[in-house]
Amino acid sequence: MNKLNAFDSTVAWFGNTEWGLGLPLPWLMAFLATATELVGAVLLVLGLFTRLISIPLIITMLVAIFAVHWSNGWQAIADASAPFANEQVLAATDKLARARDILQTHGNYEWLTGSGKFVILNNGIEFAATYLIMLLALIGLGGGKYHSLDYWLRKKLEQKTTQKN
């Protein structure tokens, strides 16, 4: 939804070589990514064309991993105690401590952290790689039995085929 709601900014980010992704044909790429993510989300929720929609979603995740997240390492959220902590993550520890001090002194820290810990986003490949693995599983396994439209459509087609024979 963020890509759709700020589509002009998305196109600019896709095309800009200095602060963006520097992709060719940024309008087309932004449109394809936005459409794939929006339509893909709906189809996955419905369990409709699950294997088919997983393919463009995998392509989108691969672009995200290599064009956006790769340089940030593995971790999506900076945690110096976690495995694969790189220098960027380790540097975030001091920034996080300073931000906590500022917020505890000048803000309502209890209110700000009432829904969870205050963290620094590292923007690594962790989430995109996890989505990629889940999409690969959906290609192999499909949308599931009983709760996907793919299952019910296949069952309906099998009934029609059986009736014709």
Side-chain angles (χ1 to χ4, degrees):
M1 287 308 297
N2 288 339
K3 284 181 178 78
L4 180 63
N5 290 335
F7 190 74
D8 290 338
S9 298
T10 302
V11 171
W13 180 61
F14 271 48
N16 192 293
T17 56
E18 293 178 27
W19 49 265
L21 301 178
L23 296 174
L25 305 168
W27 189 92
L28 178 63
M29 297 295 229
F31 172 79
L32 290 173
T34 303
T36 298
E37 291 175 13
L38 292 174
V39 172
V42 171
L43 291 176
L44 288 179
V45 165
L46 295 173
L48 184 61
F49 307 121
T50 305
R51 288 182 167 105
L52 184 63
I53 194 58
S54 292
I55 295 167
L57 286 168
I58 284 171
I59 293 167
T60 303
M61 285 303 102
L62 288 170
V63 171
I65 286 169
F66 292 110
V68 179
H69 304 288
W70 190 263
S71 62
N72 298 317
W74 173 258
Q75 291 179 300
I77 297 173
D79 179 1
S81 66
F84 311 117
N86 59 16
E87 287 184 31
Q88 183 173 306
V89 170
L90 296 174
T93 303
D94 293 336
K95 294 174 186 173
L96 185 58
R98 180 70 179 124
R100 280 189 188 126
D101 289 343
I102 291 169
L103 289 171
Q104 287 172 341
T105 304
H106 302 289
N108 187 345
Y109 190 74
E110 289 74 30
W111 177 79
L112 289 170
T113 58
S115 298
K117 278 189 341 184
F118 185 64
V119 299
I120 293 180
L121 183 65
N122 184 54
N123 209 21
I125 68 170
E126 180 179 5
F127 294 155
T130 302
Y131 297 147
L132 177 68
I133 292 166
M134 289 187 299
L135 290 165
L136 288 169
L138 286 174
I139 284 180
L141 301 172
K145 195 172 183 181
Y146 303 121
H147 61 274
S148 72
L149 290 178
D150 287 342
Y151 170 79
W152 293 107
L153 288 173
R154 185 176 63 247
K155 190 171 177 111
K156 191 75 167 167
L157 286 173
E158 287 172 358
Q159 284 177 350
K160 284 186 179 183
T161 306
T162 306
Q163 289 173 354
K164 286 182 184 179
N165 295 334

